[in-house]
Amino acid sequence: MFRRVVRASKFRHVFGQALKNDQCYDDIRVSRVTWDSSFCAVNPKFVAIIIEASGGGAFLVLPLHKSGRIDKAYPTVCGHTGPVLDIDWCPHNDQVIASGSEDCTVMVWQIPENGLVTGLSEPVVVLEGHSKRVGIITWHPTARNVLLSAGCDNLVIIWNVGTGEAMIQLEDMHPDVIFSACWNRNGSLICTACKDKTIRVIDPRKEEIVGEKEKAHEGARPMRAIFLSDGNVFTTGFSRMSERQLALWNPQAMDEAISVHEMDTSNGVLLPFYDPDTSVVYLCGKGDSSIRYFEITDEAPFVHYLSTFTTKEPQRGMGYMPKRGLDVNKCEIARFYKLHERKCEPIIMTVPRKSDLFQDDLYPDTAGPDCAIEAEDWFEGRNGEPILISLKNGYVPGKNRDLKVVKKNILDNKLKKGRMSTHLYNAPKYKNEGKLEEILKEIKSLKDLVSSQEKRIIQLEEQMSKIAI
C-alpha cells in the first residue's frame, strides 16, 4: 500500500572520522612515481608505505602503534634497484610482504615480529620472470604462498613463493598494459582490467578466458575491476565524456551490465575497496579529498549510494585494513590509511549504535589468517573456501611461522615450456621425488664421512697409547 521512500539499511548512517595528529604517521616522503596503485598496505600489525628513495626503491614498514613523527633515519625495506610500484601483505602471515618494482622483479620479505631495527635489503626470495616493470602484486586469498604478479610486459605470472618458481604464465591474453588484477573469493578465478578497455575473467589453471566484455567503460583513462563475494564483478572507469563511472557485471552474461552509474567529471582513478562481509564498496579517487561508499544488494538498482566522507587534503594513496584488524567495541566497520604528501592519516568508519554489546549484524564471521589449502594442492586443481573466524572477543593474532623457500635444482628450470605445461599439475610429485633422492645421497655421503673419521680416531688413539707406554 505505502511506497517506501527511503531504503532501509544499517549502513545508511555510517560516518567517517580522521584521527588526531598524534595518531597519524608524520614526516613521510610518500612516493611520487606515476603509477595508479594505492602506495599503502595495512594489516593488524603493520602499515607499509611506498616512499621516495634515491638510488633505487624503498618502502617503510611501521608497527601500527608507532604513530607521531617518523625519524628520517628510520630503517626501510630497500632491496629494489628501481622505484617500488606496488606492495601487498600476505593474508596468511602478518610478517610477510611482497613488492613489485620498476626493476622488473618481485621480492618477498619477512619483517621481524616487532618491526625493523636496521634497514632490510635481503629478501627471502626474488621472483624474476617479467621483462618490464611489475605494477601489480596480489596474494591468493586461500592458498598458502601463491602470489600473482602482472607487469607492463602484458604478462600475468602466478608464483609458488615456497619454491620461488613461476608455475603459470598467462601470455597473449592482454594486448596492452594491465591496470588491475583481482582474485575471486576462493581464488579459482581472476578478473583483469586492461588498457584495451576490456574486462576479462580468467581461469588461471586452465589458462583460458571464461568471460570478457570489450569497452566496459569507453573512456581512455585507467579502469579497475574487483570480484564481489557473490561472483559478480564490480568495475570503475570513465565514460567517453570523461565522466567517472561504476558498473556491476555478471561474468556468465557480460553483454549487458547489471547496473551502471555516472558519478562526476574528476580525472582521478577510482580505487575500489570491498568488504565482503557487509557488501559495502568504498571508492577512493587518487587526487580526490573524499571517500564515497556504496552498498551492493540483490534489489534494483543493485548499487546503492550511502554517503561521502570528505576532508580538505587530497589523497596520494590509500591503505585498507582487513576486518580482523578493526575495533569491534567501537562498531568500526572499516579503517583507511590516507596518504598525504608528507603524512599518513588513519580514518575510521563507524556505524553509530547505542549498545555496548557485540553487534552480530555488523560483524558476521570474516576471513581469518589461516590458509585453506597449500600451494601444491591449488596448482593441482583443488579449491578452498576462506576459513572464517568470529570477531566476538576481538581478533587475537597467533604466532606466524617463518616463510621458508626451498629452491629447486636450477637444471629443472631448463625444461622445455611445452613439457612444463603438460606436466604442470603432476610436477610437485616428481619434484618431491627428486628432492628425496638428493637428501638420501647427502645422508649416505655424511655416513661415509663419519665412518672414515671413526677409523682415523681409532688409529690416533692406538698411536697415543704406544707413546704413553
Side-chain angles (χ1 to χ4, degrees), residues 156-208:
V156 174
I157 301 180
I158 298 174
W159 307 85
N160 181 347
V161 176
T163 61
E165 289 178 294
M167 300 296 284
I168 297 171
Q169 298 198 20
L170 303 178
E171 298 176 275
D172 308 323
M173 285 189 181
H174 301 89
D176 216 323
V177 175
I178 301 161
F179 287 141
S180 78
C182 177
W183 297 96
N184 67 348
R185 181 93 166 137
N186 68 358
S188 58
L189 300 171
I190 58 172
C191 70
T192 62
C194 181
K195 197 176 179 181
D196 67 351
K197 302 179 187 175
T198 302
I199 303 292
R200 293 174 177 83
V201 177
I202 300 166
D203 184 329
R205 288 169 297 191
K206 291 181 182 171
E207 300 189 21
E208 64 182 33

CSV table of all heavy atoms in Angstrom, one decimal, residues 156-208:
chain,number,residue,atom,x,y,z
A,156,VAL,N,50.8,-12.0,-17.0
A,156,VAL,CA,50.4,-12.3,-15.7
A,156,VAL,C,51.2,-13.6,-15.3
A,156,VAL,O,51.1,-14.6,-16.0
A,156,VAL,CB,48.9,-12.6,-15.6
A,156,VAL,CG1,48.5,-13.0,-14.1
A,156,VAL,CG2,48.1,-11.3,-15.9
A,157,ILE,N,51.9,-13.6,-14.1
A,157,ILE,CA,52.6,-14.8,-13.7
A,157,ILE,C,52.0,-15.1,-12.3
A,157,ILE,O,51.8,-14.3,-11.4
A,157,ILE,CB,54.1,-14.5,-13.6
A,157,ILE,CG1,54.7,-14.1,-14.9
A,157,ILE,CG2,54.8,-15.8,-13.0
A,157,ILE,CD1,56.2,-13.9,-14.9
A,158,ILE,N,51.8,-16.4,-12.1
A,158,ILE,CA,51.4,-16.9,-10.8
A,158,ILE,C,52.5,-17.8,-10.2
A,158,ILE,O,53.0,-18.7,-10.8
A,158,ILE,CB,50.1,-17.7,-10.8
A,158,ILE,CG1,49.0,-16.7,-11.3
A,158,ILE,CG2,49.7,-18.3,-9.5
A,158,ILE,CD1,47.6,-17.4,-11.6
A,159,TRP,N,53.0,-17.4,-9.0
A,159,TRP,CA,54.2,-18.0,-8.5
A,159,TRP,C,53.9,-18.9,-7.3
A,159,TRP,O,52.9,-18.6,-6.5
A,159,TRP,CB,55.1,-16.8,-7.9
A,159,TRP,CG,55.5,-15.7,-8.9
A,159,TRP,CD1,54.7,-14.6,-9.1
A,159,TRP,CD2,56.6,-15.6,-9.7
A,159,TRP,NE1,55.4,-13.8,-10.0
A,159,TRP,CE2,56.5,-14.4,-10.4
A,159,TRP,CE3,57.8,-16.4,-9.9
A,159,TRP,CZ2,57.5,-14.0,-11.3
A,159,TRP,CZ3,58.7,-16.0,-10.8
A,159,TRP,CH2,58.6,-14.8,-11.5
A,160,ASN,N,54.7,-19.9,-7.1
A,160,ASN,CA,54.7,-20.6,-5.8
A,160,ASN,C,55.9,-20.0,-5.1
A,160,ASN,O,57.1,-20.3,-5.3
A,160,ASN,CB,54.9,-22.1,-6.1
A,160,ASN,CG,54.9,-22.9,-4.8
A,160,ASN,OD1,55.0,-22.3,-3.7
A,160,ASN,ND2,54.8,-24.2,-4.9
A,161,VAL,N,55.6,-19.2,-4.1
A,161,VAL,CA,56.6,-18.5,-3.4
A,161,VAL,C,57.5,-19.4,-2.5
A,161,VAL,O,58.7,-19.2,-2.3
A,161,VAL,CB,56.0,-17.4,-2.5
A,161,VAL,CG1,57.1,-16.7,-1.6
A,161,VAL,CG2,55.3,-16.3,-3.4
A,162,GLY,N,56.9,-20.5,-2.1
A,162,GLY,CA,57.6,-21.5,-1.3
A,162,GLY,C,58.7,-22.2,-2.0
A,162,GLY,O,59.7,-22.7,-1.4
A,163,THR,N,58.7,-22.2,-3.3
A,163,THR,CA,59.8,-22.8,-4.1
A,163,THR,C,60.5,-21.7,-5.0
A,163,THR,O,61.5,-22.0,-5.6
A,163,THR,CB,59.3,-23.9,-5.0
A,163,THR,OG1,58.3,-23.4,-6.0
A,163,THR,CG2,58.7,-25.0,-4.2
A,164,GLY,N,59.9,-20.5,-5.1
A,164,GLY,CA,60.5,-19.5,-5.9
A,164,GLY,C,60.3,-19.7,-7.4
A,164,GLY,O,61.0,-19.1,-8.2
A,165,GLU,N,59.2,-20.5,-7.8
A,165,GLU,CA,59.0,-20.8,-9.2
A,165,GLU,C,57.8,-20.1,-9.8
A,165,GLU,O,56.8,-20.0,-9.1
A,165,GLU,CB,58.8,-22.3,-9.3
A,165,GLU,CG,60.1,-23.1,-9.1
A,165,GLU,CD,59.7,-24.6,-9.2
A,165,GLU,OE1,59.0,-25.1,-8.4
A,165,GLU,OE2,60.2,-25.2,-10.2
A,166,ALA,N,57.9,-19.8,-11.1
A,166,ALA,CA,56.8,-19.3,-11.9
A,166,ALA,C,56.0,-20.5,-12.4
A,166,ALA,O,56.5,-21.2,-13.2
A,166,ALA,CB,57.3,-18.4,-13.0
A,167,MET,N,54.9,-20.8,-11.8
A,167,MET,CA,54.1,-22.0,-12.1
A,167,MET,C,53.2,-21.8,-13.3
A,167,MET,O,53.0,-22.7,-14.1
A,167,MET,CB,53.3,-22.5,-10.9
A,167,MET,CG,54.1,-22.8,-9.7
A,167,MET,SD,55.3,-24.2,-9.9
A,167,MET,CE,54.2,-25.5,-9.8
A,168,ILE,N,52.6,-20.6,-13.4
A,168,ILE,CA,51.6,-20.3,-14.5
A,168,ILE,C,52.0,-19.0,-15.1
A,168,ILE,O,52.2,-18.0,-14.4
A,168,ILE,CB,50.2,-20.3,-14.0
A,168,ILE,CG1,49.8,-21.7,-13.4
A,168,ILE,CG2,49.2,-19.9,-15.1
A,168,ILE,CD1,48.5,-21.7,-12.7
A,169,GLN,N,52.1,-19.0,-16.5
A,169,GLN,CA,52.3,-17.7,-17.2
A,169,GLN,C,51.2,-17.5,-18.2
A,169,GLN,O,51.0,-18.3,-19.1
A,169,GLN,CB,53.6,-17.7,-17.9
A,169,GLN,CG,54.8,-17.9,-16.9
A,169,GLN,CD,56.1,-17.5,-17.6
A,169,GLN,OE1,56.2,-16.8,-18.6
A,169,GLN,NE2,57.2,-18.0,-17.0
A,170,LEU,N,50.4,-16.4,-18.0
A,170,LEU,CA,49.3,-16.1,-18.9
A,170,LEU,C,49.8,-15.1,-19.9
A,170,LEU,O,49.8,-13.9,-19.7
A,170,LEU,CB,48.1,-15.6,-18.1
A,170,LEU,CG,47.6,-16.4,-16.9
A,170,LEU,CD1,46.5,-15.8,-16.2
A,170,LEU,CD2,47.1,-17.8,-17.5
A,171,GLU,N,50.2,-15.6,-21.1
A,171,GLU,CA,50.7,-14.8,-22.2
A,171,GLU,C,49.6,-14.6,-23.2
A,171,GLU,O,48.7,-15.4,-23.3
A,171,GLU,CB,51.9,-15.5,-22.8
A,171,GLU,CG,53.1,-15.6,-21.8
A,171,GLU,CD,54.2,-16.4,-22.5
A,171,GLU,OE1,54.2,-17.6,-22.5
A,171,GLU,OE2,55.1,-15.7,-23.0
A,172,ASP,N,49.7,-13.6,-24.1
A,172,ASP,CA,48.9,-13.4,-25.2
A,172,ASP,C,47.4,-13.2,-24.9
A,172,ASP,O,46.6,-13.4,-25.7
A,172,ASP,CB,49.0,-14.6,-26.2
A,172,ASP,CG,50.5,-14.9,-26.6
A,172,ASP,OD1,51.2,-13.9,-26.7
A,172,ASP,OD2,50.8,-16.1,-26.7
A,173,MET,N,47.1,-13.0,-23.6
A,173,MET,CA,45.7,-12.7,-23.3
A,173,MET,C,45.4,-11.2,-23.2
A,173,MET,O,44.3,-10.8,-23.5
A,173,MET,CB,45.4,-13.3,-21.9
A,173,MET,CG,45.2,-14.8,-21.9
A,173,MET,SD,44.6,-15.4,-20.3
A,173,MET,CE,44.6,-17.2,-20.6
A,174,HIS,N,46.4,-10.4,-22.9
A,174,HIS,CA,46.3,-9.0,-22.8
A,174,HIS,C,47.2,-8.3,-23.8
A,174,HIS,O,48.4,-8.4,-23.8
A,174,HIS,CB,46.7,-8.5,-21.4
A,174,HIS,CG,45.9,-9.2,-20.3
A,174,HIS,ND1,46.2,-10.3,-19.7
A,174,HIS,CD2,44.7,-8.8,-19.7
A,174,HIS,CE1,45.3,-10.7,-18.8
A,174,HIS,NE2,44.4,-9.7,-18.8
A,175,PRO,N,46.6,-7.6,-24.8
A,175,PRO,CA,47.4,-6.9,-25.8
A,175,PRO,C,48.0,-5.6,-25.4
A,175,PRO,O,48.8,-5.0,-26.1
A,175,PRO,CB,46.4,-6.7,-26.9
A,175,PRO,CG,45.0,-6.6,-26.2
A,175,PRO,CD,45.1,-7.4,-25.0
A,176,ASP,N,47.6,-5.2,-24.2
A,176,ASP,CA,48.1,-3.9,-23.7
A,176,ASP,C,48.4,-3.9,-22.2
A,176,ASP,O,48.2,-5.0,-21.6
A,176,ASP,CB,47.1,-2.8,-24.1
A,176,ASP,CG,47.8,-1.5,-24.4
A,176,ASP,OD1,48.9,-1.2,-23.8
A,176,ASP,OD2,47.4,-0.7,-25.3
A,177,VAL,N,48.7,-2.8,-21.6
A,177,VAL,CA,49.0,-2.7,-20.2
A,177,VAL,C,47.9,-3.2,-19.3
A,177,VAL,O,46.7,-2.8,-19.6
A,177,VAL,CB,49.5,-1.3,-19.8
A,177,VAL,CG1,49.7,-1.2,-18.3
A,177,VAL,CG2,50.7,-0.9,-20.5
A,178,ILE,N,48.2,-4.0,-18.3
A,178,ILE,CA,47.1,-4.4,-17.4
A,178,ILE,C,47.0,-3.4,-16.2
A,178,ILE,O,48.0,-3.1,-15.6
A,178,ILE,CB,47.5,-5.8,-16.8
A,178,ILE,CG1,47.6,-6.8,-17.9
A,178,ILE,CG2,46.4,-6.3,-15.8
A,178,ILE,CD1,48.4,-8.1,-17.6
A,179,PHE,N,45.8,-2.9,-16.0
A,179,PHE,CA,45.5,-1.9,-15.0
A,179,PHE,C,45.3,-2.5,-13.6
A,179,PHE,O,45.6,-1.9,-12.6
A,179,PHE,CB,44.4,-1.0,-15.4
A,179,PHE,CG,44.7,0.0,-16.5
A,179,PHE,CD1,43.7,0.2,-17.5
A,179,PHE,CD2,45.9,0.6,-16.6
A,179,PHE,CE1,44.0,1.1,-18.5
A,179,PHE,CE2,46.1,1.5,-17.6
A,179,PHE,CZ,45.2,1.8,-18.6
A,180,SER,N,44.6,-3.6,-13.6
A,180,SER,CA,44.3,-4.2,-12.3
A,180,SER,C,44.1,-5.7,-12.4
A,180,SER,O,43.7,-6.2,-13.5
A,180,SER,CB,43.1,-3.6,-11.6
A,180,SER,OG,41.9,-4.1,-12.2
A,181,ALA,N,44.3,-6.5,-11.3
A,181,ALA,CA,44.0,-7.9,-11.3
A,181,ALA,C,43.5,-8.2,-9.9
A,181,ALA,O,44.0,-7.7,-8.9
A,181,ALA,CB,45.3,-8.7,-11.6
A,182,CYS,N,42.5,-9.1,-9.8
A,182,CYS,CA,41.9,-9.4,-8.6
A,182,CYS,C,41.4,-10.9,-8.5
A,182,CYS,O,40.9,-11.4,-9.5
A,182,CYS,CB,40.7,-8.5,-8.4
A,182,CYS,SG,39.7,-8.8,-6.9
A,183,TRP,N,41.6,-11.6,-7.4
A,183,TRP,CA,41.2,-13.0,-7.2
A,183,TRP,C,39.7,-12.9,-6.8
A,183,TRP,O,39.2,-12.0,-6.2
A,183,TRP,CB,41.9,-13.7,-6.1
A,183,TRP,CG,43.4,-13.8,-6.4
A,183,TRP,CD1,44.4,-13.0,-5.9
A,183,TRP,CD2,44.1,-14.9,-7.0
A,183,TRP,NE1,45.6,-13.5,-6.3
A,183,TRP,CE2,45.5,-14.7,-7.0
A,183,TRP,CE3,43.6,-16.1,-7.7
A,183,TRP,CZ2,46.4,-15.6,-7.5
A,183,TRP,CZ3,44.5,-16.9,-8.3
A,183,TRP,CH2,45.9,-16.7,-8.2
A,184,ASN,N,39.0,-14.0,-7.1
A,184,ASN,CA,37.6,-14.2,-6.5
A,184,ASN,C,37.7,-14.7,-5.1
A,184,ASN,O,38.8,-14.9,-4.6
A,184,ASN,CB,36.7,-15.0,-7.4
A,184,ASN,CG,37.1,-16.4,-7.5
A,184,ASN,OD1,38.2,-16.8,-7.1
A,184,ASN,ND2,36.2,-17.3,-8.1
A,185,ARG,N,36.6,-15.0,-4.5
A,185,ARG,CA,36.5,-15.3,-3.1
A,185,ARG,C,37.4,-16.5,-2.7
A,185,ARG,O,38.1,-16.5,-1.7
A,185,ARG,CB,35.1,-15.5,-2.7
A,185,ARG,CG,34.8,-15.8,-1.2
A,185,ARG,CD,34.6,-14.6,-0.4
A,185,ARG,NE,34.0,-14.8,0.9
A,185,ARG,CZ,34.4,-14.3,2.0
A,185,ARG,NH1,35.4,-13.4,2.0
A,185,ARG,NH2,33.9,-14.5,3.2
A,186,ASN,N,37.3,-17.6,-3.5
A,186,ASN,CA,38.1,-18.8,-3.2
A,186,ASN,C,39.3,-18.9,-4.1
A,186,ASN,O,40.0,-19.9,-4.0
A,186,ASN,CB,37.2,-20.0,-3.3
A,186,ASN,CG,36.8,-20.4,-4.7
A,186,ASN,OD1,37.1,-19.6,-5.7
A,186,ASN,ND2,36.1,-21.4,-4.9
A,187,GLY,N,39.6,-17.9,-4.9
A,187,GLY,CA,40.9,-17.9,-5.7
A,187,GLY,C,40.9,-18.9,-6.8
A,187,GLY,O,41.9,-19.3,-7.3
A,188,SER,N,39.7,-19.2,-7.4
A,188,SER,CA,39.7,-20.1,-8.5
A,188,SER,C,39.7,-19.4,-9.8
A,188,SER,O,40.1,-19.9,-10.9
A,188,SER,CB,38.4,-21.0,-8.5
A,188,SER,OG,37.2,-20.2,-8.5
A,189,LEU,N,39.3,-18.1,-9.8
A,189,LEU,CA,39.3,-17.2,-11.0
A,189,LEU,C,40.0,-15.9,-10.7
A,189,LEU,O,40.1,-15.5,-9.5
A,189,LEU,CB,37.9,-16.9,-11.4
A,189,LEU,CG,37.0,-18.1,-11.8
A,189,LEU,CD1,35.5,-17.6,-12.0
A,189,LEU,CD2,37.5,-18.8,-13.1
A,190,ILE,N,40.5,-15.2,-11.7
A,190,ILE,CA,40.9,-13.8,-11.6
A,190,ILE,C,40.2,-12.9,-12.6
A,190,ILE,O,39.7,-13.4,-13.6
A,190,ILE,CB,42.5,-13.7,-11.8
A,190,ILE,CG1,42.9,-14.2,-13.2
A,190,ILE,CG2,43.2,-14.4,-10.7
A,190,ILE,CD1,44.3,-13.9,-13.5
A,191,CYS,N,40.0,-11.7,-12.3
A,191,CYS,CA,39.5,-10.7,-13.3
A,191,CYS,C,40.5,-9.6,-13.4
A,191,CYS,O,41.2,-9.2,-12.5
A,191,CYS,CB,38.1,-10.2,-12.9
A,191,CYS,SG,38.1,-9.0,-11.5
A,192,THR,N,40.7,-9.2,-14.7
A,192,THR,CA,41.7,-8.2,-15.0
A,192,THR,C,41.0,-7.0,-15.8
A,192,THR,O,40.0,-7.2,-16.5
A,192,THR,CB,42.8,-8.7,-15.9
A,192,THR,OG1,42.3,-9.2,-17.1
A,192,THR,CG2,43.5,-9.9,-15.2
A,193,ALA,N,41.6,-5.8,-15.6
A,193,ALA,CA,41.2,-4.7,-16.4
A,193,ALA,C,42.4,-4.3,-17.2
A,193,ALA,O,43.5,-4.2,-16.7
A,193,ALA,CB,40.7,-3.5,-15.5
A,194,CYS,N,42.2,-4.0,-18.5
A,194,CYS,CA,43.3,-3.8,-19.4
A,194,CYS,C,43.2,-2.4,-20.2
A,194,CYS,O,42.0,-1.9,-20.3
A,194,CYS,CB,43.4,-4.9,-20.4
A,194,CYS,SG,44.7,-4.8,-21.6
A,195,LYS,N,44.2,-1.9,-20.7
A,195,LYS,CA,44.2,-0.6,-21.4
A,195,LYS,C,43.4,-0.7,-22.7
A,195,LYS,O,43.0,0.3,-23.2
A,195,LYS,CB,45.7,-0.2,-21.7
A,195,LYS,CG,45.8,1.3,-22.1
A,195,LYS,CD,47.2,1.7,-22.3
A,195,LYS,CE,47.3,3.2,-22.7
A,195,LYS,NZ,48.7,3.6,-22.9
A,196,ASP,N,43.1,-2.0,-23.2
A,196,ASP,CA,42.3,-2.1,-24.4
A,196,ASP,C,40.8,-2.0,-24.1
A,196,ASP,O,40.0,-2.3,-24.9
A,196,ASP,CB,42.6,-3.4,-25.1
A,196,ASP,CG,42.2,-4.6,-24.3
A,196,ASP,OD1,41.8,-4.5,-23.1
A,196,ASP,OD2,42.2,-5.8,-24.8
A,197,LYS,N,40.5,-1.5,-22.8
A,197,LYS,CA,39.1,-1.2,-22.4
A,197,LYS,C,38.3,-2.5,-22.2
A,197,LYS,O,37.1,-2.5,-22.2
A,197,LYS,CB,38.4,-0.3,-23.3
A,197,LYS,CG,39.1,1.0,-23.5
A,197,LYS,CD,38.3,1.9,-24.5
A,197,LYS,CE,39.1,3.2,-24.8
A,197,LYS,NZ,38.5,4.0,-25.8
A,198,THR,N,39.0,-3.7,-22.0
A,198,THR,CA,38.3,-4.9,-21.9
A,198,THR,C,38.5,-5.5,-20.5
A,198,THR,O,39.6,-5.4,-19.9
A,198,THR,CB,38.8,-6.0,-22.9
A,198,THR,OG1,38.7,-5.5,-24.2
A,198,THR,CG2,38.1,-7.3,-22.8
A,199,ILE,N,37.4,-6.0,-19.9
A,199,ILE,CA,37.4,-6.7,-18.6
A,199,ILE,C,37.4,-8.2,-18.9
A,199,ILE,O,36.6,-8.6,-19.7
A,199,ILE,CB,36.1,-6.4,-17.8
A,199,ILE,CG1,36.0,-4.9,-17.5
A,199,ILE,CG2,36.1,-7.1,-16.5
A,199,ILE,CD1,37.0,-4.3,-16.6
A,200,ARG,N,38.4,-8.9,-18.4
A,200,ARG,CA,38.4,-10.4,-18.6
A,200,ARG,C,38.3,-11.1,-17.3
A,200,ARG,O,38.9,-10.8,-16.3
A,200,ARG,CB,39.8,-10.7,-19.3
A,200,ARG,CG,40.0,-10.1,-20.7
A,200,ARG,CD,41.4,-10.4,-21.2
A,200,ARG,NE,41.5,-9.9,-22.6
A,200,ARG,CZ,41.7,-8.6,-22.9
A,200,ARG,NH1,41.9,-7.7,-22.0
A,200,ARG,NH2,41.8,-8.2,-24.2
A,201,VAL,N,37.6,-12.2,-17.4
A,201,VAL,CA,37.5,-13.2,-16.2
A,201,VAL,C,38.2,-14.4,-16.7
A,201,VAL,O,37.9,-15.0,-17.8
A,201,VAL,CB,36.1,-13.5,-15.8
A,201,VAL,CG1,36.0,-14.5,-14.7
A,201,VAL,CG2,35.3,-12.2,-15.4
A,202,ILE,N,39.3,-14.8,-16.0
A,202,ILE,CA,40.2,-15.8,-16.5
A,202,ILE,C,40.3,-17.0,-15.4
A,202,ILE,O,40.3,-16.8,-14.2
A,202,ILE,CB,41.6,-15.2,-16.6
A,202,ILE,CG1,41.6,-14.1,-17.7
A,202,ILE,CG2,42.6,-16.3,-17.0
A,202,ILE,CD1,42.8,-13.2,-17.7
A,203,ASP,N,40.3,-18.2,-16.0
A,203,ASP,CA,40.6,-19.4,-15.1
A,203,ASP,C,42.1,-19.6,-15.3
A,203,ASP,O,42.6,-20.1,-16.3
A,203,ASP,CB,39.8,-20.6,-15.6
A,203,ASP,CG,40.1,-21.8,-14.7
A,203,ASP,OD1,41.2,-21.9,-14.1
A,203,ASP,OD2,39.1,-22.7,-14.5
A,204,PRO,N,42.9,-19.3,-14.3
A,204,PRO,CA,44.4,-19.3,-14.5
A,204,PRO,C,45.0,-20.7,-14.7
A,204,PRO,O,45.9,-20.9,-15.4
A,204,PRO,CB,44.9,-18.6,-13.2
A,204,PRO,CG,43.9,-18.7,-12.2
A,204,PRO,CD,42.6,-18.8,-12.9
A,205,ARG,N,44.4,-21.7,-14.0
A,205,ARG,CA,45.0,-23.0,-14.1
A,205,ARG,C,44.7,-23.7,-15.4
A,205,ARG,O,45.5,-24.5,-16.0
A,205,ARG,CB,44.5,-23.9,-12.9
A,205,ARG,CG,45.1,-23.5,-11.6
A,205,ARG,CD,44.4,-24.1,-10.4
A,205,ARG,NE,43.1,-23.7,-10.3
A,205,ARG,CZ,42.3,-24.0,-9.2
A,205,ARG,NH1,42.8,-24.7,-8.2
A,205,ARG,NH2,41.0,-23.6,-9.2
A,206,LYS,N,43.5,-23.4,-16.0
A,206,LYS,CA,43.2,-23.9,-17.4
A,206,LYS,C,43.8,-23.0,-18.4
A,206,LYS,O,43.7,-23.3,-19.6
A,206,LYS,CB,41.7,-24.0,-17.6
A,206,LYS,CG,41.1,-25.1,-16.7
A,206,LYS,CD,39.6,-25.2,-17.0
A,206,LYS,CE,38.9,-26.3,-16.1
A,206,LYS,NZ,37.4,-26.2,-16.2
A,207,GLU,N,44.2,-21.8,-18.0
A,207,GLU,CA,44.8,-20.8,-18.9
A,207,GLU,C,43.8,-20.4,-20.0
A,207,GLU,O,44.1,-20.4,-21.2
A,207,GLU,CB,46.1,-21.2,-19.5
A,207,GLU,CG,47.2,-21.5,-18.4
A,207,GLU,CD,48.6,-21.7,-19.0
A,207,GLU,OE1,48.8,-21.3,-20.1
A,207,GLU,OE2,49.4,-22.3,-18.2
A,208,GLU,N,42.5,-20.1,-19.6
A,208,GLU,CA,41.5,-19.7,-20.6
A,208,GLU,C,40.7,-18.6,-20.0
A,208,GLU,O,40.5,-18.5,-18.8
A,208,GLU,CB,40.7,-20.9,-21.0
A,208,GLU,CG,39.8,-21.5,-19.9
A,208,GLU,CD,39.0,-22.8,-20.3
A,208,GLU,OE1,39.6,-23.5,-21.2
A,208,GLU,OE2,37.9,-23.0,-19.8
